[in-house]
Amino acid sequence: MATSSVSKGCFVFKPKDSKKRKTSTTADYFHKGKAVSENDKLRFSSYQSLWQQMKEETERLQENLNEKMFDNFISFIKKSHVQVNSEGNDWSYRMRCSEIPTAALVLGVNVPDHEMTVQSLSDLLKQSLTPHVVCLQGKECTTVKQVLQKILKHLMGGNGNEEEEEEEEEEDMERSVDFHQIKMSCSMASLCRWYNTVAKKSTSKSPRKKRKSLLQHEVAPPIVIIFKDLESFLPKVLQDFIIIASNYIQRLPLVLVFGIATSPIIIHRMLTHSVSSLLCIELFQSLPCIDHLAAVIDKLVLTTKFPFKLSGKVLQVLINIFLYHDFSAKNFVKGFQLSLLEHYYTQPLSFLCCALNETNARVHHLSHDDCELIRQLPSLMGYVDHQDSEKQVELLTNDQYLKTIVQTLLTDLHVYHKNYFAVLKCLHIFTSSLPKYPLGKQIRELYITCLESNVWEIKEYSSAFQLLGMMAKDELVRLLQKCVEVLQSSEHKSLAQATQTLEDFLAKFQKLDDAPVDDVEDGEENITESQRSLQKKTDLYQLQKTLMEMKVLKRRKKPSRFECLRMDVLQFMDQLARQYLVSPDTQPLHELVYFQDASTLRRHLNAAPRAALQMALSNPYYYLKNEALKSEGGTITYAAPDICIIYKLHLECGRLINLYDWLQAFATVVCAAEGKDPDEINNGQVEGVIHARFIRAVSELEFLGFIKSTKRKTDHVARLTWGGF
C-alpha cells in the first residue's frame, strides 16, 4: 500500500472487498416504497418508451430546423480556404486572403438552447469537414493566454470527445503531448508547428471509413474556433487574439465562429474598426425561438402520434414560462417531460396511456382492482349515468363487460383527437388572418381556448365570424383550399364527408366566376333611380324623403349569390366546430391521457426561494420532521435551530434591530432550552459559546438577505424583508 513520489501528495486506496452502495434508480420511485407490482413496471416502461419516441422526434425536428443554416455554414467554411494553395494575383483576392474568415451565428436570446445548437454544429463539422474544432466559453477565457491554452489543449492534446475507435499508433504518439509543455509554450507559433507536422499528414492518408468528408483531401482541413457566447468575452481579450491570429492566417487555415445572442452589431461594439477590418464576416441567422416553439408544439402536442396530452392550464404554464422567462424550446421540452413523468407517477391507470395497438392487450389483463379504479374515474361515472339501468348494472358489476366498454372508449378517444386536431387547424386557418386576431394569432392560443371551454360560447368566436362574413371571394377560396388539404391529410372516414362538402363549395365558387352577369334586380333599379333624383334640384323635404326610400330599399335588397354561398361556408365551419371541438373533459376516460395538475408543475418549474426560506425558518418541522419542532403559529420552539430562533426574534423588531437586545433575547431562549435559569445571566454577560452561536446565526441570516449592516447606528442592523409565514 506504500508509494513513493518526488512531490508530496495524497493517495486514496479503496479496499477490494468494499461493498458498493446500492443506489436507487428512477424505477424505484414508481412504487413509492411499496412492493413492486406489474402495473408499476408497466407504467415506468411506458413512460420510458414514450419519452424516447418524443426525444427522437425533437432531435429530428432540431436537425430539420437548422438544416438550411448548417448547409450554408458548411459551404462557407469549405470555400473559406479552398483557394489558399491556388495562385491568385487579383488585388481583391489578396486582400480577402489576409482576412480571417468569420461566421457571425445569430442564435437569438434563447440562451439555454445555444449549447444544443453549438454542439450539433460541432458534431457536424467533425463528421463532415474537419476534426479540428474548438469551442470556447467566455467564463473560461479571461486572458489571451487562457484562450491559447484552451485551443492548444483541445487540438494538440486531443479533445476527448471524438469517437474514433480505430486510430493508428503513430498518430496516438503525436497527439500525446505533455500539458505542462502546452502551458509553457502557448503561442500561435506552437500551433503552426503542430499543424505542419500532424494535421497535414492526414491529408496524404486515405480517409477513415467512419468519417464521410465533404472536403476533398487536396486541401488541409481548417481549424474552426467557436466562441459560444460572444457577449461574455472581454473585448480586450478578443481584440488581442484576433490581431495575433491575423498574423498567422497565411500559414494557418483559421475560421472563427461568433455565437451571438443579441444582434450582429455587437461585433462592432466590442471590436475597434482596425480589428474588425481584419475579419471577413458572413452572417447566419438561426430560426426564431417563437417558430421553434410552434414546431415543437405541432410535433409533440397537436398530434395523435403520441397518446399523452396536456390540459389547457398545464400548457399555459409551460408557454408562460417560455414567453416570460427564457424563450427556450429546450426548457419547454423539459417541462413537457416533467409533465409526462408526473402523469405516469401519480396516475395508477396511466399504463393505459399507450399506443392504440397496445391498448387491447393491456385492457384484457386488467385486474379487479384496476377495474374498480376505472369505475371511480369521474368521467366514467358521468358516462354510466347516461346509460340505461341494465348497462349501468353491467358496468358496475361485470368486469368483462367493463373491459369491452373501456376498449371501445379508448378507441373513440383516439378518433376524437384525430378529428379534433384536424378541425382545430381548419378553424385556425380561417381566424389567424383576421384583424386584431380575436381567437389568437398562433394555433396554441386557439388550442388553449378550446381546451378550457367550448369555443363557440365565448364572445371572441362570434366576433371572428362577423369578420369572416365580410371576407372577399379570393381570400375565402384560398382558405378553403388550405382546409381541404388539412382534412385530406387526416385520412379519417368521419371527415371524408366534410372534405367533400368543402370541395363542393370550391366548385360553386368556380361556377360563380364562369357564370354570366345577371340582370339588375328591381331593388337595384330603384336605388339607381333614387340616386339620379338626388342629382336634380330639390328642397329639403324631398331630399329627406328620397334618402329614406333609399334606406328602405337597401334593407329589402336580396343578398347576391356570392354572399349566400359565403354564408353557407361559414355556417358549415361553425357546424364543424360545434361538432368536433367539444372540450376533452366531456370525453370518457380522458383522465388516462390528460395531465391536469398545473399547480404541481408550477411548483417544480417556478421556484420561489424566498418563500421556501421563510417557510423553513418559521416552521422547521415542515422540512426536518422532528416532533420536538412542532409549535403553534407565532411561538418560538426552544429545540429549533439557532437561525430559526434568530429569524423569529427578528420578526418582532422594526426597521432597525438592536444587536444587544437581540443577543439577550436569544440567550434567554437558548438558556431555557438547556434547562438553565435565564435570570442567571449576570449583568447582561452571556457565555462565549452562546455569543458565538448568535454571531454565526446572524451572519447566516445576513447571507440569506434578511438583514444588513447599517451606518446609521453602529450597534444596529437593518431589516430587509417584511412579512412571513
Side-chain angles (χ1 to χ4, degrees), residues 519-531 549-550 552-554 556-558:
D519 295 334
V520 182
E521 298 180 358
D522 296 337
E524 294 181 355
E525 290 180 353
N526 294 333
I527 293 177
T528 304
E529 187 65 28
S530 301
Q531 290 175 348
E549 290 177 355
M550 290 179 60
V552 172
L553 290 174
K554 283 184 178 180
R556 295 178 181 176
K557 179 185 174 183
K558 295 181 180 179

Side-chain angles (χ1 to χ4, degrees), residues 27-93:
D28 297 334
Y29 291 97
F30 268 72
H31 53 80
K32 303 179 182 179
K34 302 177 182 178
V36 183
S37 63
E38 291 298 326
N39 287 350
D40 295 336
K41 295 180 180 179
L42 194 58
R43 283 159 52 201
F44 181 68
S45 62
S46 300
Y47 158 74
Q48 282 187 316
S49 175
L50 187 57
W51 169 241
Q52 187 62 32
Q53 296 176 24
M54 292 181 173
K55 184 180 178 181
E56 293 174 357
E57 186 72 23
T58 54
E59 290 175 353
R60 285 194 297 268
L61 175 64
Q62 178 72 18
E63 293 176 0
N64 295 334
L65 292 178
N66 295 324
E67 183 178 4
K68 184 178 181 181
M69 182 187 69
F70 284 173
D71 291 344
N72 296 335
F73 186 82
I74 294 294
S75 301
F76 166 74
I77 295 181
K78 287 174 61 178
K79 296 176 182 178
S80 60
H81 290 282
V82 73
Q83 296 177 341
V84 170
N85 296 331
S86 63
E87 296 181 0
N89 297 320
D90 184 40
W91 177 83
S92 61
Y93 165 72

Side-chain angles (χ1 to χ4, degrees), residues 18 55-56 118 154 217 225 233 310 337 345 347 352-353 438 478-480 486 490 578 586 661 680 683:
S18 61
K55 184 180 178 181
E56 293 174 357
V118 172
H154 281 75
H217 289 271
I225 303 175
F233 280 85
L310 299 176
Q337 182 188 8
Y345 176 71
Q347 175 57 260
L352 294 177
C353 180
R478 185 179 63 85
L479 297 181
L480 283 176
V486 170
S490 65
R578 293 174 183 269
T586 61
D661 296 340
E680 294 181 359
N683 299 325

Side-chain angles (χ1 to χ4, degrees), residues 16-35:
K16 296 181 180 180
D17 56 345
S18 61
K19 296 181 180 179
K20 295 183 179 180
R21 295 180 60 185
K22 185 179 179 181
T23 57
S24 299
T25 61
T26 310
D28 297 334
Y29 291 97
F30 268 72
H31 53 80
K32 303 179 182 179
K34 302 177 182 178

